[in-house]
């Protein structure tokens, strides 16, 4: 018998959806290309899509990252590494007992709408050429958005003449290939800073190039994990002009003026771009182990020319230029995330295609995992019929308001098309769940998915 719901992906968002549906008694099948759960957090994942590198640690603290339904172990450090996170995901799945509902080494190759309002899903086992089609009432897309590398667009002039190696941060695993090399890292996001710091320990020289400055946020402030402050009720209001000013003063006191380390002055206020979190970058800059450069102008043989007129001989360029939002199993006429733009009601529901939901397709100032858990609870309400959606016009108004808010608040970038604030997204989901229950005429209480507090709750 075919299950009611298809879940695509068994990464951190996919297994959150599995757990919620399993707890509600909603029959589902989950398809995962790899042979284990964890997605991006599974180092050397055999699905060939993980961007995890050997030294990777989380940038959000464990108390913020953990699922509300299953806290992390008390003996985990504040910022666990990828091995510990992958083990946590395994324990999560086994604790709730739904591993047998995940079909591993199985790729979803096509999702199409059917005349009865359902969905046909084509799946193919690894090593097989022929796909089989199964029918579902609904599809939950949880394939992640950090796996399809976005290279510089357009390519830099002379890129085809460069005699060294050009790679993307997605493919970086260890510093072994960078020993005694002259390395250029392009970008100022979290991956760029991590890779520049790591390669600078073994390279002949490491350069960090960027087209704009950034606010570098430490992992701890006054001995407290920084995200405990920014996801607290006080931090929830941090983007008012006054509180943004207070936060910038605190950052300046904690880490000083970033221009003193050779970084360009940010052209935006704190909170107007996704944060760059690093405790090590400023130290390496202060030691002279990393040299800051402006954006690349052109490449020529083994030489990289920069927009300030300087040039350097370079052996390896690592482009830390982000990712494309991609759904290879969906026809572009159905969903097209061109330039990473996608229109979803509360970042989950596609008004044009009932029964198609997206889980974890957000870039939070906080962690995705508990948000994916809350999104899944809302979708489960809709699937059970204990909540209904508003009119198409109302959904499209919310989507338009969201996009306008992004344009007003954030630096224009393909990186900032799916941004959400941690507590605000929890609040909007809870509000919509309550409104949806009222529309449906249901009187029984919805299962709570309130935001986790920034305190140590352990399994």
């Amino acid at each position: 018998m075919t299950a009611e719901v298809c879940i695509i992906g068994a990464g951190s968002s996919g297994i959150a959806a599995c757990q919620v549906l399993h707890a509600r008694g909603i029959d589902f099948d989950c398809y995962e290309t790899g042979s284990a759960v964890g997605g991006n957090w599974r180092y050397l994942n055999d699905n060939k899509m993980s961007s995890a590198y050997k030294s990777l640690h989380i940038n959000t603290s464990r108390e913020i990252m953990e699922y509300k339904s299953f806290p992390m172990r008390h003996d985990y450090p504040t910022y666990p590494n990828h091995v510990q996170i992958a083990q946590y995901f395994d324990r999560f799945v086994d604790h709730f007992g739904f591993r047998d509902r995940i079909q591993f080494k199985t790729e979803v190759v096509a999702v199409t709408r059917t005349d009865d309002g359902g969905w046909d899903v084509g799946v193919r086992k690894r090593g097989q050429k022929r796909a089989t089609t199964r029918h579902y009432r609904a599809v939950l897309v949880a394939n992640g958005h950090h796996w399809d590398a976005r290279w510089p667009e357009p390519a830099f002039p002379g890129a085809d003449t460069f005699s060294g190696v050009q790679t993307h941060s997605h493919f970086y695993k260890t510093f072994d290939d960078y020993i005694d090399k002259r390395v250029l890292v392009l970008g100022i996001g979290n991956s760029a800073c991590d890779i520049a710091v790591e390669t600078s320990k073994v390279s002949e020289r490491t350069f960090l190039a960027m087209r704009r400055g950034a606010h570098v946020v430490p992992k701890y402030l006054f001995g407290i994990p920084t995200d405990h402050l920014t996801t607290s009720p006080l931090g929830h209001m941090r983007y008012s002009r006054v509180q943004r000013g207070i936060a910038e003063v605190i950052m300046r006191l904690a880490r000083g003026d970033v221009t003193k380390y050779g970084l360009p002055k940010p052209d935006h206020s704190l909170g107007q771009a996704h944060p760059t979190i690093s405790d090590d970058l400023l130290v390496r800059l202060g030691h002279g182990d990393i040299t800051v450069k402006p954006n690349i102008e052109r490449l020529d043989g083994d030489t990289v020319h920069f927009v300030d007129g300087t040039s350097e001989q370079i052996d390896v360029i690592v482009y830390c230029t982000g990712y494309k939002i991609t759904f290879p199993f969906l026809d572009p006429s159905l969903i097209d995330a061109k330039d990473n733009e996608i229109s979803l009601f509360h970042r989950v529901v596609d008004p044009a295609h009932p029964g198609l939901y997206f889980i974890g397709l957000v870039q939070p100032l906080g962690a995705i995992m508990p948000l994916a858990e809350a999104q899944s609870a809302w979708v489960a309400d809709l699937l059970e019929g204990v909540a209904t959606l508003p009119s198409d016009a109302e959904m499209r108004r919310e989507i338009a308001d969201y996009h306008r808010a992004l344009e007003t608040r954030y630096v224009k970038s393909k990186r900032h098309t799916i941004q959400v604030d941690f507590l605000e997204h929890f609040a909007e989901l809870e509000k919509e769940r309550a409104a949806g229950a009222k529309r449906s005429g249901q009187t029984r209480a919805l299962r709570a998915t309130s935001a986790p507090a920034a305190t140590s709750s352990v399994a």
Side-chain angles (χ1 to χ4, degrees), residues 115-144:
D115 293 338
D116 64 355
W119 297 88
D120 278 348
V121 177
V123 299
R124 181 173 59 210
K125 283 287 188 181
R126 186 187 299 175
Q128 296 181 355
K129 294 183 179 180
R130 186 175 180 179
T132 58
T133 299
R134 298 174 187 178
H135 187 71
Y136 296 93
R137 180 163 65 96
V139 174
L140 277 61
V141 178
N143 68 321

PDB file of all heavy atoms in Angstrom, residues 115-144:
ATOM      1  N   ASP A 115      -4.049  14.539 -12.074  1.00  0.00           N
ATOM      2  CA  ASP A 115      -5.386  15.103 -12.269  1.00  0.00           C
ATOM      3  C   ASP A 115      -6.239  15.056 -11.009  1.00  0.00           C
ATOM      4  O   ASP A 115      -7.157  15.871 -10.844  1.00  0.00           O
ATOM      5  CB  ASP A 115      -6.107  14.365 -13.402  1.00  0.00           C
ATOM      6  CG  ASP A 115      -5.458  14.617 -14.757  1.00  0.00           C
ATOM      7  OD1 ASP A 115      -4.753  15.634 -14.894  1.00  0.00           O
ATOM      8  OD2 ASP A 115      -5.667  13.791 -15.681  1.00  0.00           O
ATOM      9  N   ASP A 116      -5.944  14.118 -10.111  1.00  0.00           N
ATOM     10  CA  ASP A 116      -6.751  14.007  -8.890  1.00  0.00           C
ATOM     11  C   ASP A 116      -6.268  14.938  -7.783  1.00  0.00           C
ATOM     12  O   ASP A 116      -6.756  14.890  -6.654  1.00  0.00           O
ATOM     13  CB  ASP A 116      -6.762  12.555  -8.391  1.00  0.00           C
ATOM     14  CG  ASP A 116      -5.380  12.072  -7.966  1.00  0.00           C
ATOM     15  OD1 ASP A 116      -4.393  12.826  -8.137  1.00  0.00           O
ATOM     16  OD2 ASP A 116      -5.278  10.933  -7.472  1.00  0.00           O
ATOM     17  N   GLY A 117      -5.282  15.816  -8.102  1.00  0.00           N
ATOM     18  CA  GLY A 117      -4.764  16.746  -7.112  1.00  0.00           C
ATOM     19  C   GLY A 117      -3.620  16.193  -6.296  1.00  0.00           C
ATOM     20  O   GLY A 117      -3.081  16.891  -5.423  1.00  0.00           O
ATOM     21  N   GLY A 118      -3.232  14.951  -6.567  1.00  0.00           N
ATOM     22  CA  GLY A 118      -2.099  14.349  -5.866  1.00  0.00           C
ATOM     23  C   GLY A 118      -0.805  14.541  -6.627  1.00  0.00           C
ATOM     24  O   GLY A 118      -0.701  15.379  -7.530  1.00  0.00           O
ATOM     25  N   TRP A 119       0.171  13.698  -6.287  1.00  0.00           N
ATOM     26  CA  TRP A 119       1.500  13.843  -6.861  1.00  0.00           C
ATOM     27  C   TRP A 119       2.079  12.472  -7.215  1.00  0.00           C
ATOM     28  O   TRP A 119       2.025  11.544  -6.401  1.00  0.00           O
ATOM     29  CB  TRP A 119       2.440  14.542  -5.875  1.00  0.00           C
ATOM     30  CG  TRP A 119       1.990  15.933  -5.560  1.00  0.00           C
ATOM     31  CD1 TRP A 119       1.119  16.318  -4.577  1.00  0.00           C
ATOM     32  CD2 TRP A 119       2.354  17.118  -6.262  1.00  0.00           C
ATOM     33  NE1 TRP A 119       0.924  17.672  -4.611  1.00  0.00           N
ATOM     34  CE2 TRP A 119       1.671  18.200  -5.636  1.00  0.00           C
ATOM     35  CE3 TRP A 119       3.198  17.378  -7.342  1.00  0.00           C
ATOM     36  CZ2 TRP A 119       1.815  19.513  -6.074  1.00  0.00           C
ATOM     37  CZ3 TRP A 119       3.331  18.696  -7.770  1.00  0.00           C
ATOM     38  CH2 TRP A 119       2.648  19.745  -7.144  1.00  0.00           C
ATOM     39  N   ASP A 120       2.606  12.356  -8.422  1.00  0.00           N
ATOM     40  CA  ASP A 120       3.372  11.174  -8.807  1.00  0.00           C
ATOM     41  C   ASP A 120       4.846  11.453  -8.564  1.00  0.00           C
ATOM     42  O   ASP A 120       5.375  12.493  -8.991  1.00  0.00           O
ATOM     43  CB  ASP A 120       3.154  10.840 -10.287  1.00  0.00           C
ATOM     44  CG  ASP A 120       1.878  10.053 -10.530  1.00  0.00           C
ATOM     45  OD1 ASP A 120       1.285   9.571  -9.541  1.00  0.00           O
ATOM     46  OD2 ASP A 120       1.472   9.921 -11.702  1.00  0.00           O
ATOM     47  N   VAL A 121       5.492  10.525  -7.880  1.00  0.00           N
ATOM     48  CA  VAL A 121       6.904  10.684  -7.532  1.00  0.00           C
ATOM     49  C   VAL A 121       7.691   9.539  -8.157  1.00  0.00           C
ATOM     50  O   VAL A 121       7.437   8.362  -7.857  1.00  0.00           O
ATOM     51  CB  VAL A 121       7.102  10.698  -6.001  1.00  0.00           C
ATOM     52  CG1 VAL A 121       8.584  10.800  -5.659  1.00  0.00           C
ATOM     53  CG2 VAL A 121       6.324  11.864  -5.378  1.00  0.00           C
ATOM     54  N   GLY A 122       8.629   9.886  -9.034  1.00  0.00           N
ATOM     55  CA  GLY A 122       9.497   8.886  -9.647  1.00  0.00           C
ATOM     56  C   GLY A 122      10.748   8.703  -8.826  1.00  0.00           C
ATOM     57  O   GLY A 122      11.436   9.682  -8.512  1.00  0.00           O
ATOM     58  N   VAL A 123      11.033   7.466  -8.437  1.00  0.00           N
ATOM     59  CA  VAL A 123      12.215   7.178  -7.603  1.00  0.00           C
ATOM     60  C   VAL A 123      13.063   6.101  -8.276  1.00  0.00           C
ATOM     61  O   VAL A 123      12.549   5.231  -8.979  1.00  0.00           O
ATOM     62  CB  VAL A 123      11.816   6.735  -6.184  1.00  0.00           C
ATOM     63  CG1 VAL A 123      11.033   7.833  -5.480  1.00  0.00           C
ATOM     64  CG2 VAL A 123      11.001   5.455  -6.203  1.00  0.00           C
ATOM     65  N   ARG A 124      14.359   6.195  -8.004  1.00  0.00           N
ATOM     66  CA  ARG A 124      15.280   5.240  -8.629  1.00  0.00           C
ATOM     67  C   ARG A 124      16.342   4.833  -7.621  1.00  0.00           C
ATOM     68  O   ARG A 124      16.982   5.672  -7.000  1.00  0.00           O
ATOM     69  CB  ARG A 124      15.934   5.875  -9.858  1.00  0.00           C
ATOM     70  CG  ARG A 124      16.907   4.958 -10.598  1.00  0.00           C
ATOM     71  CD  ARG A 124      17.363   5.620 -11.883  1.00  0.00           C
ATOM     72  NE  ARG A 124      18.015   6.901 -11.628  1.00  0.00           N
ATOM     73  CZ  ARG A 124      17.995   7.930 -12.477  1.00  0.00           C
ATOM     74  NH1 ARG A 124      17.353   7.844 -13.632  1.00  0.00           N
ATOM     75  NH2 ARG A 124      18.606   9.071 -12.175  1.00  0.00           N
ATOM     76  N   LYS A 125      16.491   3.532  -7.443  1.00  0.00           N
ATOM     77  CA  LYS A 125      17.526   3.004  -6.561  1.00  0.00           C
ATOM     78  C   LYS A 125      18.900   3.241  -7.174  1.00  0.00           C
ATOM     79  O   LYS A 125      19.059   3.216  -8.394  1.00  0.00           O
ATOM     80  CB  LYS A 125      17.316   1.501  -6.328  1.00  0.00           C
ATOM     81  CG  LYS A 125      16.211   1.167  -5.341  1.00  0.00           C
ATOM     82  CD  LYS A 125      16.641   1.481  -3.910  1.00  0.00           C
ATOM     83  CE  LYS A 125      15.623   0.977  -2.889  1.00  0.00           C
ATOM     84  NZ  LYS A 125      16.037   1.311  -1.502  1.00  0.00           N
ATOM     85  N   ARG A 126      19.876   3.457  -6.317  1.00  0.00           N
ATOM     86  CA  ARG A 126      21.233   3.667  -6.797  1.00  0.00           C
ATOM     87  C   ARG A 126      21.704   2.453  -7.601  1.00  0.00           C
ATOM     88  O   ARG A 126      21.519   1.305  -7.189  1.00  0.00           O
ATOM     89  CB  ARG A 126      22.195   3.903  -5.634  1.00  0.00           C
ATOM     90  CG  ARG A 126      23.600   4.284  -6.062  1.00  0.00           C
ATOM     91  CD  ARG A 126      24.558   4.333  -4.887  1.00  0.00           C
ATOM     92  NE  ARG A 126      24.153   5.335  -3.896  1.00  0.00           N
ATOM     93  CZ  ARG A 126      24.778   5.506  -2.737  1.00  0.00           C
ATOM     94  NH1 ARG A 126      25.802   4.733  -2.416  1.00  0.00           N
ATOM     95  NH2 ARG A 126      24.373   6.436  -1.890  1.00  0.00           N
ATOM     96  N   GLY A 127      22.289   2.717  -8.744  1.00  0.00           N
ATOM     97  CA  GLY A 127      22.791   1.659  -9.602  1.00  0.00           C
ATOM     98  C   GLY A 127      21.782   1.149 -10.609  1.00  0.00           C
ATOM     99  O   GLY A 127      22.126   0.356 -11.488  1.00  0.00           O
ATOM    100  N   GLN A 128      20.529   1.599 -10.480  1.00  0.00           N
ATOM    101  CA  GLN A 128      19.500   1.187 -11.426  1.00  0.00           C
ATOM    102  C   GLN A 128      19.215   2.310 -12.417  1.00  0.00           C
ATOM    103  O   GLN A 128      19.334   3.494 -12.085  1.00  0.00           O
ATOM    104  CB  GLN A 128      18.215   0.806 -10.688  1.00  0.00           C
ATOM    105  CG  GLN A 128      18.361  -0.408  -9.781  1.00  0.00           C
ATOM    106  CD  GLN A 128      17.058  -0.767  -9.085  1.00  0.00           C
ATOM    107  OE1 GLN A 128      16.059  -0.059  -9.200  1.00  0.00           O
ATOM    108  NE2 GLN A 128      17.079  -1.868  -8.349  1.00  0.00           N
ATOM    109  N   LYS A 129      18.842   1.948 -13.626  1.00  0.00           N
ATOM    110  CA  LYS A 129      18.531   2.932 -14.652  1.00  0.00           C
ATOM    111  C   LYS A 129      17.049   3.273 -14.692  1.00  0.00           C
ATOM    112  O   LYS A 129      16.666   4.381 -15.050  1.00  0.00           O
ATOM    113  CB  LYS A 129      18.981   2.416 -16.021  1.00  0.00           C
ATOM    114  CG  LYS A 129      20.492   2.272 -16.159  1.00  0.00           C
ATOM    115  CD  LYS A 129      20.873   1.815 -17.561  1.00  0.00           C
ATOM    116  CE  LYS A 129      22.386   1.693 -17.700  1.00  0.00           C
ATOM    117  NZ  LYS A 129      22.765   1.251 -19.076  1.00  0.00           N
ATOM    118  N   ARG A 130      16.242   2.313 -14.317  1.00  0.00           N
ATOM    119  CA  ARG A 130      14.799   2.489 -14.437  1.00  0.00           C
ATOM    120  C   ARG A 130      14.195   3.019 -13.139  1.00  0.00           C
ATOM    121  O   ARG A 130      14.503   2.538 -12.053  1.00  0.00           O
ATOM    122  CB  ARG A 130      14.149   1.164 -14.815  1.00  0.00           C
ATOM    123  CG  ARG A 130      12.662   1.272 -15.114  1.00  0.00           C
ATOM    124  CD  ARG A 130      12.119  -0.062 -15.612  1.00  0.00           C
ATOM    125  NE  ARG A 130      10.693   0.018 -15.915  1.00  0.00           N
ATOM    126  CZ  ARG A 130       9.990  -0.992 -16.375  1.00  0.00           C
ATOM    127  NH1 ARG A 130      10.568  -2.164 -16.601  1.00  0.00           N
ATOM    128  NH2 ARG A 130       8.693  -0.833 -16.621  1.00  0.00           N
ATOM    129  N   ALA A 131      13.322   4.016 -13.282  1.00  0.00           N
ATOM    130  CA  ALA A 131      12.637   4.580 -12.128  1.00  0.00           C
ATOM    131  C   ALA A 131      11.249   3.960 -11.977  1.00  0.00           C
ATOM    132  O   ALA A 131      10.642   3.527 -12.964  1.00  0.00           O
ATOM    133  CB  ALA A 131      12.521   6.092 -12.266  1.00  0.00           C
ATOM    134  N   THR A 132      10.771   3.930 -10.770  1.00  0.00           N
ATOM    135  CA  THR A 132       9.400   3.499 -10.501  1.00  0.00           C
ATOM    136  C   THR A 132       8.605   4.701  -9.997  1.00  0.00           C
ATOM    137  O   THR A 132       9.171   5.613  -9.369  1.00  0.00           O
ATOM    138  CB  THR A 132       9.355   2.379  -9.451  1.00  0.00           C
ATOM    139  OG1 THR A 132       9.976   2.845  -8.232  1.00  0.00           O
ATOM    140  CG2 THR A 132      10.108   1.153  -9.945  1.00  0.00           C
ATOM    141  N   THR A 133       7.315   4.711 -10.267  1.00  0.00           N
ATOM    142  CA  THR A 133       6.481   5.854  -9.902  1.00  0.00           C
ATOM    143  C   THR A 133       5.494   5.463  -8.813  1.00  0.00           C
ATOM    144  O   THR A 133       4.852   4.406  -8.898  1.00  0.00           O
ATOM    145  CB  THR A 133       5.721   6.382 -11.129  1.00  0.00           C
ATOM    146  OG1 THR A 133       6.671   6.801 -12.115  1.00  0.00           O
ATOM    147  CG2 THR A 133       4.849   7.573 -10.750  1.00  0.00           C
ATOM    148  N   ARG A 134       5.395   6.323  -7.800  1.00  0.00           N
ATOM    149  CA  ARG A 134       4.445   6.087  -6.710  1.00  0.00           C
ATOM    150  C   ARG A 134       3.597   7.346  -6.514  1.00  0.00           C
ATOM    151  O   ARG A 134       4.060   8.462  -6.742  1.00  0.00           O
ATOM    152  CB  ARG A 134       5.203   5.736  -5.427  1.00  0.00           C
ATOM    153  CG  ARG A 134       6.020   4.452  -5.593  1.00  0.00           C
ATOM    154  CD  ARG A 134       6.881   4.136  -4.419  1.00  0.00           C
ATOM    155  NE  ARG A 134       7.747   2.992  -4.712  1.00  0.00           N
ATOM    156  CZ  ARG A 134       8.648   2.504  -3.877  1.00  0.00           C
ATOM    157  NH1 ARG A 134       8.803   3.048  -2.692  1.00  0.00           N
ATOM    158  NH2 ARG A 134       9.391   1.477  -4.228  1.00  0.00           N
ATOM    159  N   HIS A 135       2.381   7.135  -6.080  1.00  0.00           N
ATOM    160  CA  HIS A 135       1.424   8.231  -5.964  1.00  0.00           C
ATOM    161  C   HIS A 135       1.266   8.645  -4.497  1.00  0.00           C
ATOM    162  O   HIS A 135       1.173   7.799  -3.609  1.00  0.00           O
ATOM    163  CB  HIS A 135       0.061   7.810  -6.529  1.00  0.00           C
ATOM    164  CG  HIS A 135      -0.919   8.929  -6.587  1.00  0.00           C
ATOM    165  ND1 HIS A 135      -0.822   9.968  -7.482  1.00  0.00           N
ATOM    166  CD2 HIS A 135      -2.040   9.164  -5.849  1.00  0.00           C
ATOM    167  CE1 HIS A 135      -1.826  10.798  -7.305  1.00  0.00           C
ATOM    168  NE2 HIS A 135      -2.586  10.331  -6.328  1.00  0.00           N
ATOM    169  N   TYR A 136       1.215   9.976  -4.260  1.00  0.00           N
ATOM    170  CA  TYR A 136       1.071  10.499  -2.907  1.00  0.00           C
ATOM    171  C   TYR A 136       0.069  11.650  -2.889  1.00  0.00           C
ATOM    172  O   TYR A 136      -0.129  12.349  -3.888  1.00  0.00           O
ATOM    173  CB  TYR A 136       2.423  11.011  -2.385  1.00  0.00           C
ATOM    174  CG  TYR A 136       3.458   9.925  -2.235  1.00  0.00           C
ATOM    175  CD1 TYR A 136       4.352   9.649  -3.266  1.00  0.00           C
ATOM    176  CD2 TYR A 136       3.533   9.161  -1.078  1.00  0.00           C
ATOM    177  CE1 TYR A 136       5.297   8.640  -3.137  1.00  0.00           C
ATOM    178  CE2 TYR A 136       4.474   8.151  -0.934  1.00  0.00           C
ATOM    179  CZ  TYR A 136       5.350   7.896  -1.973  1.00  0.00           C
ATOM    180  OH  TYR A 136       6.291   6.904  -1.848  1.00  0.00           O
ATOM    181  N   ARG A 137      -0.505  11.838  -1.725  1.00  0.00           N
ATOM    182  CA  ARG A 137      -1.417  12.964  -1.536  1.00  0.00           C
ATOM    183  C   ARG A 137      -0.661  14.274  -1.396  1.00  0.00           C
ATOM    184  O   ARG A 137      -1.157  15.340  -1.801  1.00  0.00           O
ATOM    185  CB  ARG A 137      -2.273  12.721  -0.286  1.00  0.00           C
ATOM    186  CG  ARG A 137      -3.264  13.830   0.030  1.00  0.00           C
ATOM    187  CD  ARG A 137      -4.328  13.359   0.998  1.00  0.00           C
ATOM    188  NE  ARG A 137      -3.800  13.031   2.317  1.00  0.00           N
ATOM    189  CZ  ARG A 137      -3.801  13.877   3.352  1.00  0.00           C
ATOM    190  NH1 ARG A 137      -4.285  15.092   3.214  1.00  0.00           N
ATOM    191  NH2 ARG A 137      -3.336  13.505   4.518  1.00  0.00           N
ATOM    192  N   ALA A 138       0.539  14.206  -0.809  1.00  0.00           N
ATOM    193  CA  ALA A 138       1.328  15.415  -0.575  1.00  0.00           C
ATOM    194  C   ALA A 138       2.814  15.086  -0.660  1.00  0.00           C
ATOM    195  O   ALA A 138       3.228  13.937  -0.448  1.00  0.00           O
ATOM    196  CB  ALA A 138       0.997  16.022   0.787  1.00  0.00           C
ATOM    197  N   VAL A 139       3.611  16.115  -0.944  1.00  0.00           N
ATOM    198  CA  VAL A 139       5.063  15.974  -1.031  1.00  0.00           C
ATOM    199  C   VAL A 139       5.712  17.055  -0.166  1.00  0.00           C
ATOM    200  O   VAL A 139       5.371  18.238  -0.277  1.00  0.00           O
ATOM    201  CB  VAL A 139       5.563  16.104  -2.480  1.00  0.00           C
ATOM    202  CG1 VAL A 139       7.094  16.103  -2.528  1.00  0.00           C
ATOM    203  CG2 VAL A 139       5.008  14.974  -3.342  1.00  0.00           C
ATOM    204  N   LEU A 140       6.625  16.642   0.698  1.00  0.00           N
ATOM    205  CA  LEU A 140       7.398  17.556   1.522  1.00  0.00           C
ATOM    206  C   LEU A 140       8.834  17.567   0.994  1.00  0.00           C
ATOM    207  O   LEU A 140       9.524  16.545   1.043  1.00  0.00           O
ATOM    208  CB  LEU A 140       7.388  17.135   2.996  1.00  0.00           C
ATOM    209  CG  LEU A 140       6.182  17.556   3.845  1.00  0.00           C
ATOM    210  CD1 LEU A 140       4.882  16.962   3.299  1.00  0.00           C
ATOM    211  CD2 LEU A 140       6.391  17.158   5.300  1.00  0.00           C
ATOM    212  N   VAL A 141       9.253  18.696   0.466  1.00  0.00           N
ATOM    213  CA  VAL A 141      10.586  18.827  -0.122  1.00  0.00           C
ATOM    214  C   VAL A 141      11.559  19.283   0.958  1.00  0.00           C
ATOM    215  O   VAL A 141      11.406  20.365   1.527  1.00  0.00           O
ATOM    216  CB  VAL A 141      10.580  19.833  -1.287  1.00  0.00           C
ATOM    217  CG1 VAL A 141      11.979  19.994  -1.872  1.00  0.00           C
ATOM    218  CG2 VAL A 141       9.598  19.388  -2.371  1.00  0.00           C
ATOM    219  N   ALA A 142      12.560  18.457   1.241  1.00  0.00           N
ATOM    220  CA  ALA A 142      13.561  18.776   2.271  1.00  0.00           C
ATOM    221  C   ALA A 142      14.945  18.396   1.764  1.00  0.00           C
ATOM    222  O   ALA A 142      15.719  17.744   2.452  1.00  0.00           O
ATOM    223  CB  ALA A 142      13.231  18.044   3.578  1.00  0.00           C
ATOM    224  N   ASN A 143      15.236  18.806   0.533  1.00  0.00           N
ATOM    225  CA  ASN A 143      16.505  18.409  -0.092  1.00  0.00           C
ATOM    226  C   ASN A 143      17.646  19.352   0.213  1.00  0.00           C
ATOM    227  O   ASN A 143      18.759  19.174  -0.283  1.00  0.00           O
ATOM    228  CB  ASN A 143      16.329  18.286  -1.610  1.00  0.00           C
ATOM    229  CG  ASN A 143      16.081  19.625  -2.277  1.00  0.00           C
ATOM    230  OD1 ASN A 143      15.365  20.470  -1.735  1.00  0.00           O
ATOM    231  ND2 ASN A 143      16.648  19.822  -3.456  1.00  0.00           N
ATOM    232  N   GLY A 144      17.406  20.371   1.036  1.00  0.00           N
ATOM    233  CA  GLY A 144      18.483  21.265   1.442  1.00  0.00           C
ATOM    234  C   GLY A 144      18.809  22.326   0.404  1.00  0.00           C
ATOM    235  O   GLY A 144      18.393  22.237  -0.753  1.00  0.00           O
TER     236      GLY A 144
END
